[in-house]
Amino acid sequence: MTDFTVPDMTCGHCETSIRKVVAALPGVDDIIVDRPTKRVSVRGSVSDDVVRKAIENAGFTPQAVSA
């Protein structure tokens, strides 16, 4: 599982935008976007770098969460 915090995810529109770009990535099996904690969790065969780049391309600043 890949986990990021996204400090600049502040509203429902932000949450929807992130969910859409990540869900569209090949290899994503499941995505959980939790706006109150600003956390995005992705399960699947997609790499951390691909998820991070997709979130960045949507205009946000993801930060990897250490296990």
Side-chain angles (χ1 to χ4, degrees), residues 8-46:
D8 45 358
M9 176 174 54
T10 59
C11 68
H13 182 264
C14 298
E15 180 180 348
T16 299
S17 296
I18 292 169
R19 184 182 306 281
K20 281 184 180 181
V21 298
V22 174
L25 296 172
V28 171
D29 295 331
D30 189 31
I31 177 173
I32 299 168
V33 181
D34 185 12
R35 184 172 19 114
T37 64
K38 299 181 183 294
R39 191 166 182 129
V40 177
S41 300
V42 180
R43 183 176 302 140
S45 60
V46 64

Side-chain angles (χ1 to χ4, degrees), residues 3-10 14 18 38-40 51-65:
D3 292 299
F4 292 96
T5 57
V6 185
D8 45 358
M9 176 174 54
T10 59
C14 298
I18 292 169
K38 299 181 183 294
R39 191 166 182 129
V40 177
V51 174
R52 182 180 40 78
K53 276 292 188 197
I55 296 171
E56 287 173 349
N57 288 339
F60 299 95
T61 312
Q63 300 170 350
V65 175

